[in-house]
Amino acid sequence: MSDPHDWAPSTPSAPDQHPSREHVLAGLKATDEGGADLVQLLTPEGERVADPRFDQFATDLDSAALQGLYRDMVLVRRFDREGNALQRQGQLGIWVPLLGQEAAQIGAGRALQPQDMAFPSYREHGVAWTRGIDPTELLGIFRGTDHGAWDPKDARFHLYTIVIGNQCLNATGYAMGQRFESKVGEGPEAEATICFFGDGATSQGDVHEGFVWAAVYDAPVVFYFQNNQWAISEPTERQTRVPLYKRAAGYGFPGIRVDGNDVLACLAVTRWALEECRTGNGPVLVEAFTYRMDAHTTSDDPTRYRLADELELWKLKDPIERVRVNLVREHGIGQEFFSGVQAESDALAARFREYCVNMPPPAPDRMFSQVYAEGSTTVDAQRQEYLAYHESFESHGSPAVGGGR
Amino acid sequence: MRREFAMPDVGEGLTEAEVLTWHVARGDTVTVNQIIVEIETAKAAVELPCPFAGTVGELLAEPGQTVAVGAPIIVIETAEAGAPAAPSVAPGGAGADEEVGAKIGETGKDGRIATLVGYGPRPGSVQRRPRRSATSGAHRSGAVNGAPRGAASPAVDHPRDVATSPVAHVPLAKPPVRKLAKDLGVDLREVSGSGPGGVITRDDVEAHVTAPTAPGPVVAAPSAGGVRREPIRGVRKATAAAMVSSAFTAPHVTEFLAVDVTETMALRDRLRADREYAEVKLTPLAFVAKAVCLAARRTPEVNASWDDAAAEIVYYDRVQLGIAAATPRGLIVPKVRDADMLTLRELAVALGELTATARSGRTPPADLMGGTFTVTNVGVFGVDTGTPILNPGEAAILAVGAIKPTPWVVDGQLAVRTVCQLALSFDHRLVDGEQGSRFLADVGALLTDPGLALTW
Amino acid sequence: MAVLTMAKALNDGLRAAMERDPKVLVMGEDVGKLGGVFRVTDGLQKDFGEQRVLDTPLAESGIIGTAVGLAIRGFRPVCEIQFDGFVFPGYDQIVSQLAKLHFRSQGKVRMPVVVRIPFGGGIGAVEHHSESPEALFAHVAGLKVVACSNPVDAYWMIQQAISCDDPIIFFEPKRRYWEKAEVDLDATPLPLFASRVARAGSTLTLAGYGPVLRTCLEAATAGEADGHDLEVIDLRTLSPLDLGPVVDSVRRTGRLVVVAEAPSESSVAAEVAARVQELCFHSLEAPVIRVSGFDTPYPPSKCEEDYLPDLDRVLDAVDRSLAW
């Protein structure tokens, strides 16, 4: 089969240049197994392979660094699984699992400099981890006690954005600001922005507009999307004909596809992309080609729309397992290390669980707080009225206290 | 200790789930997050991990059984005794609250049904949560336009028998009229509206208040403030008897007239400045008394009485003018003798003495007898008008309302004039409408233009 | 007769409409194979094919915008917006095109498009999944806005909405999707743009729609203990409003409490209050009181019981009204 994406601009008399659905599917999946279009430094079998272009961004990744990345991924996966269980046990309203996307997130997150800014979607628990946000700080969103506990400006990690694609414009604007303030250029002070989204989001107008703005203003923003193959129940071919990273060309900036289950490749490629942006060559589009191994959220049931053998196939490309194999085979790391990480992850999960079940419910007037920077007489009046109403009951506390929902 | 695990909502608002397969049996040892059961909801089939470590005590649902979200499905006997270890699953979320909260499925202290830990539509409560004492709402100010907040059930203060006629419409009235009716204790359903489409006006409410109401047994509702009982005697008893007798013997007719008394009041001001009136308290009532005497001369029927026994009407030459006075003993009506013979100044002096004596309670009984006509000054109470009840044996009574600035049309222009309302009740047996109306109009004319008195 | 959840009643209604008219399309995110995140379109793609049940790309503006084009071409698209808070990327197309094309074309172009939106809170969801944006649509001339509250209405209203030649924003109370009721599939339904007395009473009138209707009915039951005989009206149509039954009721009771989850300022409840005040001024024993969400963003779900009007807040308003 010829490369399905090599078609030429069609002439009016050549309707057969139009790609068939099979062509599209084949093209989208062609790089599943790696290949020229897919940057990969670590094979699914755990073999470190050379890449003439990106090896230079991975020279410092020795055994210790690799162990660190392994630890990151194991810990993140462990609390992600605990989040799922807590939802099933009624302790969380919902959980958004990242299972399978640990490498894509840890790789990108560890490429960031402290001064860089990240705009997540809502599945970026791994990136949050790399920004120093404790996993317990994520719980409020899913337990329903807050909309995000961290300070986005201090952590340089924006709040989770749930409306699909919104954050691409916000990230672009932030990056424009970095440029307007002359933070783009050589030197340790240079900054860049990274924006996370998914394959589904690429259909949204906001993402398109983000690309346009970033291109027009040379914004130092890395558009980093994790193509996990599924937008809830819709496979990537419901969003596109061409591999998504190729869209960048149309906007006039580079696009690249990286093996999203390869933490080394994700780290190296993101370092490169951020470096491009910091030095004024942004924006850049990165497609981390990965797989959502769990449901979209705990409310979803993927057995309704995808086949189990697809999952089995991707299990062979597990992002953590390949690092473990590499550590054992190429760095001689013994069981003691892995057992230690396992114990650490169990302790983290226990702490995560304990924190979760003991989270106090918000005060009854929480919702009236911080609606405006300068207050509002309407909201103030409603707060007073509601508190008086609340006080008028014999049993104290909001209905949510003690009695459950 | 015994711990129950309730069916969680595993997906955005589900209300129930079917148990498919148990992966554990009674007596099995389980660990935290061990998969214990597979369930199927309207949205998905999912496996549930166990929230506790321990031994399975009981399975509370059979495979195939549909279980409501929030209902317990399994009992786990855990190792802890007494207080649960921190990483526990508590109904309602916070583990610390578990022991004080209600058990799953039961109604808690707050009146809510404690349900699932998880999230989902909570079963609707059909009970109110108990409130603190009714007055506690008093500090809830302002939000609704000064509405009474948290007051005790108003049904206690104003029984509303809305059930009597399920299709009856609410009486039509503007909110300020409703407030007036409420302040005056008037039930609008007893008032007929004179406005367009039967809308009850302010006048309708006021007229209703002063209208004679049929006597009937009135039993005050017990009120929180207690009651005071006093024997009916003395002036009160006499007044009551007289009023009842009058109201049931003499067919009353009441007519109303609003009068521009600006000129009279101007005259009063001029006279007050006069040395002759220096020591005299010249009240508007004196002018009314003078006008009554003058008018009665033109309409002798109002200065008369109905002698039922003799089957005669008695016309009086002189006017024995009764002045209704509120005193500590009750309502009394001392008389100004031969009032028609007195000048304005003399009337004023007589009225002053008479009211002073009455208020001090020293009015001799003889002064209360033998009246022929009565004036009652309801205006001193700030009231615009009323429908007076005849003093027994008399043919007419005039009520004088409050004198106050009022918009008034003068020569086609709106002006502010000093206006007073007159209400004349008369015994229709001996006074016809024509005579009553003429008398009232005469009094009004004299008060409007005191100079007319020269021509009579 | 069939016992149906609201989700299934909507599903059956959609199916009936699609069987009746081959021009009826269902389109949205995950409406095909998955059957929608609330399963309202479950099985429709299997039975009607991918040409009539479209799993669209993930873009609300695209869903509405292409539905407008399909309608111009003669189709009757039924769009699903996955959650209330996701409608806003499509709001431009709704306001600028969908609402105005009939007027702009002087009636030459009709817009028989239904936009289904699961709305309201009470399911413990994360941000943007619990909002009540109906006023933002009721305020737009050219749109009609309805809200169902129970399986019976859901079954009929969705079919009536699809057969209407005007664009309809169809609000579905998501926390009531799984409540069941007996649905008489052979009944003669109430017209779409009509409100209805859901419970007769004489003390005071409660008016609500969508998710709070059940709250109102529960409040009416609980209010019996306080000696109240509350009338409950399901507004059903928010634009145009059908205030006839409300006015009739208020003329008997003299008191009105309007209940809704949406914030109160400039809301549908505010419109009802204003209109009833105009139409029933002489009958009102008390000001019309609103019980609603607050004028804050929808709070984190652990606060939502404080935010949402519940039985106690409704009865508190009843007390306040009766205290006048």
Side-chain angles (χ1 to χ4, degrees):
Chain A
M1 190 190 298
S2 66
D3 183 335
H5 297 296
D6 278 348
W7 70 81
S10 61
T11 59
S13 58
D16 57 333
Q17 288 293 314
H18 188 287
S20 70
R21 181 152 191 180
E22 288 65 37
H23 269 74
V24 170
L25 281 174
L28 293 173
K29 304 281 184 195
T31 44
D32 268 20
E33 304 300 323
D37 284 350
L38 186 83
V39 180
Q40 190 178 69
L41 302 183
L42 200 58
T43 67
E45 293 75 29
E47 184 191 346
R48 175 71 165 87
V49 290
D51 184 292
R53 196 170 161 205
F54 290 101
D55 274 348
Q56 57 178 308
F57 294 95
T59 50
D60 61 330
L61 298 176
D62 56 9
S63 174
L66 203 53
Q67 287 174 52
L69 293 170
Y70 175 84
R71 175 181 168 273
D72 283 342
M73 291 195 290
V74 171
L75 264 54
V76 165
R77 176 174 289 188
R78 184 66 188 86
F79 82 72
D80 176 69
R81 295 298 83 199
E82 199 66 18
N84 243 40
L86 285 165
Q87 196 281 336
R88 290 287 181 254
Q89 291 157 355
Q91 292 293 339
L92 296 177
I94 195 170
W95 182 254
V96 182
L98 64 55
L99 190 70
Q101 300 176 223
E102 296 87 352
Q105 295 191 14
I106 295 298
R110 288 296 179 206
L112 291 166
Q113 295 295 320
Q115 71 270 23
D116 293 335
M117 180 68 182
F119 282 79
S121 173
Y122 47 77
R123 203 187 297 278
E124 272 66 66
H125 319 321
V127 185
W129 172 261
T130 67
R131 299 308 274 169
I133 290 165
D134 193 84
T136 57
E137 291 184 75
L138 305 173
L139 281 168
I141 298 169
F142 303 105
R143 192 169 166 90
T145 58
D146 59 48
H147 290 324
W150 61 92
D151 180 336
K153 294 176 84 173
D154 275 4
R156 296 266 170 156
F157 184 72
H158 190 58
L159 294 179
Y160 277 8
T161 299
I162 292 175
V163 178
I164 308 299
N166 278 178
Q167 72 277 17
C168 288
L169 278 166
N170 311 145
T172 300
Y174 188 94
M176 287 162 64
Q178 289 173 318
R179 207 179 131 256
F180 295 164
E181 292 180 349
S182 304
K183 296 291 187 187
V184 174
E186 304 295 330
E189 299 297 307
E191 291 184 24
T193 294
I194 187 165
C195 178
F196 294 89
F197 52 104
D199 44 293
T202 60
S203 295
Q204 287 281 14
D206 278 10
V207 175
H208 164 76
E209 291 169 24
F211 289 0
V212 170
W213 252 251
V216 167
Y217 289 95
D218 301 328
V221 55
V222 177
F223 294 110
Y224 186 101
F225 73 100
Q226 296 161 77
N227 179 354
N228 68 13
Q229 315 301 325
W230 293 94
I232 306 190
S233 73
E234 298 190 14
T236 318
E237 67 261 27
R238 304 273 358 132
Q239 319 288 345
T240 185
R241 271 188 194 174
V242 298
L244 289 163
Y245 74 97
K246 291 196 172 180
R247 283 194 182 166
Y251 295 90
F253 52 86
I256 189 165
R257 180 186 266 177
V258 59
D259 182 346
N261 285 13
D262 174 353
V263 70
L264 289 186
C266 289
L267 178 55
V269 165
T270 310
R271 279 176 170 178
W272 162 77
L274 288 165
E275 199 54 31
E276 286 290 291
C277 289
R278 281 196 204 95
T279 53
N281 292 326
V284 174
L285 177 66
V286 177
E287 174 178 8
F289 201 76
T290 181
Y291 190 73
R292 194 193 79 207
M293 295 181 79
D294 201 340
H296 166 69
T297 69
T298 45
S299 293
D300 181 30
D301 179 8
T303 63
R304 293 178 71 101
Y305 51 81
R306 72 184 187 190
L307 297 171
D309 56 359
E310 185 182 275
L311 176 61
E312 293 307 314
L313 190 73
W314 278 90
K315 278 184 180 169
L316 300 175
K317 304 178 202 174
D318 187 276
I320 297 179
E321 184 59 18
R322 69 176 76 178
V323 178
R324 196 188 67 79
V325 170
N326 181 264
L327 282 169
V328 172
R329 289 197 188 152
E330 297 186 11
H331 298 280
I333 302 300
Q335 187 55 37
E336 194 183 346
F337 167 74
F338 299 109
S339 301
V341 173
Q342 185 59 45
E344 187 185 2
S345 73
D346 287 341
L348 173 62
R351 181 167 68 84
F352 190 69
R353 165 175 291 267
E354 179 167 346
Y355 185 92
C356 177
V357 300
N358 288 306
M359 285 175 85
D365 64 340
R366 159 65 183 88
M367 61 189 151
F368 303 106
S369 304
Q370 307 295 348
V371 179
Y372 297 95
E374 299 184 2
S376 146
T377 50
T378 298
V379 174
D380 292 348
Q382 290 182 357
R383 178 207 290 261
Q384 270 197 328
E385 190 187 356
Y386 185 70
L387 283 179
Y389 166 80
H390 194 261
E391 279 296 310
S392 73
F393 287 94
E394 283 180 5
S395 56
H396 247 300
S398 81
V401 177
R405 295 176 36 87
Chain B
M1 67 178 291
R2 179 188 159 96
R3 309 295 295 271
E4 287 179 348
F5 176 37
M7 180 70 80
D9 168 24
V10 295
E12 291 168 342
L14 298 166
T15 53
E16 62 184 26
E18 182 187 339
V19 172
L20 294 182
T21 324
W22 283 106
H23 295 319
V24 293
R26 189 180 181 140
D28 284 0
T29 300
V30 289
T31 58
V32 171
N33 290 349
Q34 178 179 336
I35 299 301
I36 50 176
V37 65
E38 191 178 357
I39 62 166
E40 181 164 28
T41 70
K43 294 181 67 172
V46 294
E47 295 173 326
L48 296 185
C50 185
F52 317 112
T55 311
V56 176
E58 208 178 337
L59 303 183
L60 301 174
E62 298 288 324
Q65 190 178 334
T66 297
V67 180
V69 163
I73 54 174
I74 188 171
V75 175
I76 309 284
E77 298 292 343
T78 61
E80 321 106 33
S88 63
V89 175
D97 286 329
E98 183 188 33
E99 296 307 309
V100 295
K103 283 199 179 134
I104 289 164
E106 291 178 3
T107 306
K109 280 184 298 189
D110 57 4
R112 307 249 158 163
I113 297 171
T115 56
L116 73 158
V117 266
Y119 297 52
R122 110 192 117 89
S125 168
V126 290
Q127 272 184 299
R128 298 190 76 165
R129 287 199 291 154
R131 304 286 282 268
R132 292 175 199 281
S133 68
T135 51
S136 70
H139 58 98
R140 299 180 53 201
S141 59
V144 190
N145 212 2
R149 306 296 307 263
S153 171
V156 176
D157 297 324
H158 301 288
R160 292 171 190 283
D161 190 12
V162 284
T164 46
S165 174
V167 293
H169 280 195
V170 171
L172 305 178
K174 293 177 190 175
V177 175
R178 289 181 193 283
K179 178 164 191 322
L180 176 69
K182 196 172 175 183
D183 290 347
L184 296 177
V186 171
D187 184 342
L188 284 178
R189 285 169 304 175
E190 292 171 4
V191 181
S192 51
S194 64
V199 171
I200 298 167
T201 64
R202 174 174 280 271
D203 286 350
D204 294 335
V205 173
E206 286 169 347
H208 186 82
V209 174
T210 47
T213 50
V218 176
V219 179
S223 84
V227 296
R228 185 169 60 91
R229 297 186 81 93
E230 269 185 13
I232 299 163
R233 62 190 172 201
V235 174
R236 172 58 55 201
K237 189 170 184 176
T239 303
M243 290 299 108
V244 170
S245 152
S246 170
F248 279 93
T249 354
H252 285 62
V253 171
T254 305
E255 293 185 340
F256 301 92
L257 182 68
V259 182
D260 176 354
V261 297
T262 313
E263 286 305 319
T264 296
M265 299 314 284
L267 175 60
R268 181 177 83 135
D269 290 342
R270 287 198 299 278
L271 293 175
R272 272 174 157 178
D274 192 312
R275 200 176 302 147
E276 193 191 351
Y277 284 83
E279 304 295 322
V280 180
K281 192 182 177 200
L282 186 58
T283 62
L285 188 62
F287 290 90
V288 174
K290 186 69 189 170
V292 163
C293 292
L294 290 171
R297 207 177 289 161
R298 281 161 58 112
T299 310
E301 288 82 357
V302 301
N303 194 41
S305 73
W306 179 274
D307 188 346
D308 209 21
E312 291 172 337
I313 296 173
V314 186
Y315 294 93
Y316 300 105
D317 288 337
R318 297 273 81 83
V319 176
Q320 310 302 324
L321 186 64
I323 302 294
T327 75
R329 292 160 61 205
L331 174 73
I332 62 170
V333 190
K335 315 300 179 207
V336 178
R337 298 297 169 190
D338 298 336
D340 58 322
M341 302 296 286
L342 303 181
T343 64
L344 180 69
R345 188 179 182 284
E346 289 164 338
L347 270 173
V349 171
L351 287 170
E353 287 172 358
L354 180 140
T355 46
T357 309
R359 288 209 183 109
S360 64
R362 289 181 285 106
T363 305
D367 272 5
L368 301 173
M369 316 290 286
T372 60
F373 187 97
T374 299
V375 173
T376 177
N377 185 8
V378 298
V380 299
F381 304 115
V383 169
D384 286 336
T385 188
T387 50
I389 298 177
L390 293 169
N391 219 18
E394 295 179 11
I397 179 169
L398 182 75
V400 186
I403 297 170
K404 59 190 183 188
T406 306
W408 196 260
V409 176
V410 180
D411 297 329
Q413 298 289 314
L414 196 58
V416 175
R417 304 291 285 181
T418 305
V419 172
C420 169
Q421 300 219 34
L422 303 177
L424 180 77
S425 293
F426 51 86
D427 183 343
H428 217 338
R429 290 174 300 182
L430 65 160
V431 183
D432 293 332
E434 184 203 345
Q435 294 147 353
S437 304
R438 186 177 63 218
F439 174 78
L440 184 60
D442 282 348
V443 173
L446 286 165
L447 293 174
T448 303
D449 181 2
L452 268 186
L454 288 174
T455 68
W456 291 3
Chain C
M1 280 293 183
V3 175
L4 302 176
T5 62
M6 182 185 290
K8 185 71 171 85
L10 288 163
N11 182 273
D12 286 358
L14 283 168
R15 178 178 294 277
M18 294 183 78
E19 280 167 355
R20 205 175 297 131
D21 183 350
K23 291 292 189 187
V24 175
L25 306 180
V26 167
M27 51 197 291
E29 296 155 10
D30 305 291
V31 298
K33 233 174 188 175
L34 181 64
V37 295
F38 290 107
R39 309 293 181 259
V40 170
T41 56
D42 196 18
L44 297 180
Q45 188 181 67
K46 185 168 144 280
D47 295 343
F48 294 96
E50 293 186 17
Q51 293 272 19
R52 296 197 56 198
V53 180
L54 286 66
D55 265 334
T56 66
L58 205 172
E60 291 76 12
S61 183
I63 294 169
I64 308 294
T66 55
V68 168
L70 284 159
I72 295 170
R73 181 71 194 180
F75 288 88
R76 307 182 83 87
V78 183
C79 303
E80 176 175 301
I81 299 296
Q82 204 157 66
F83 284 93
D84 34 63
F86 297 161
V87 70
F88 301 110
Y91 194 64
D92 173 32
Q93 284 287 344
I94 292 175
V95 174
S96 308
Q97 302 304 328
L98 185 62
K100 297 187 174 73
L101 265 170
H102 188 266
F103 186 72
R104 287 168 56 208
S105 70
Q106 300 184 60
K108 295 184 190 72
V109 175
R110 295 192 171 187
M111 279 293 123
V113 176
V114 177
V115 181
R116 294 181 37 244
I117 307 179
F119 82 127
I123 66 162
V126 291
E127 275 185 287
H128 312 294
H129 289 65
S130 303
E131 296 171 7
S132 298
E134 59 271 20
L136 299 176
F137 299 94
H139 197 70
V140 176
L143 299 177
K144 291 176 176 172
V145 183
V146 301
C148 57
S149 70
N150 61 77
V152 176
D153 279 352
Y155 177 74
W156 295 111
M157 286 170 74
I158 189 65
Q159 295 182 61
Q160 292 165 325
I162 292 169
S163 60
C164 178
D165 273 352
D166 288 315
I168 294 183
I169 312 298
F170 192 96
F171 282 102
E172 301 166 5
K174 66 174 86 76
R175 68 171 144 141
R176 308 296 186 200
Y177 269 138
W178 312 108
E179 291 177 8
K180 291 177 190 156
E182 231 174 50
V183 181
D184 180 357
L185 306 180
D186 302 317
T188 304
L190 206 62
L192 179 59
F193 300 107
S195 57
R196 115 192 130 83
V197 177
R199 182 193 200 271
S202 57
T203 314
L204 179 149
T205 307
L206 290 175
Y209 55 90
V212 298
L213 214 278
R214 179 168 151 181
T215 312
C216 289
L217 291 170
E218 287 165 355
T221 304
E224 286 173 5
D226 296 334
H228 305 325
D229 178 23
L230 305 177
E231 180 143 313
V232 178
I233 293 181
D234 186 348
L235 292 173
R236 295 169 88 251
T237 170
L238 312 183
S239 176
L241 281 166
D242 173 32
L243 289 177
V246 181
V247 167
D248 288 349
S249 180
V250 171
R251 285 186 177 149
R252 281 184 285 107
T253 65
R255 298 169 200 278
L256 175 64
V257 171
V258 191
V259 187
E261 281 187 25
S264 64
E265 289 205 340
S266 307
S267 62
V268 171
E271 180 64 22
V272 172
R275 298 268 295 276
V276 167
Q277 173 269 129
E278 285 173 17
L279 295 167
C280 305
F281 190 61
H282 284 132
S283 303
L284 286 173
E285 301 273 11
V288 180
I289 296 177
R290 281 170 286 168
V291 180
S292 65
F294 299 101
D295 289 284
T296 73
Y298 197 87
S301 64
K302 286 285 185 193
C303 304
E304 71 183 344
E305 289 204 2
D306 286 309
Y307 181 89
L308 294 172
D310 64 1
L311 180 145
D312 286 307
R313 275 178 62 203
V314 172
L315 289 177
D316 175 69
V318 168
D319 287 348
R320 281 189 279 134
S321 175
L322 288 168
W324 274 80

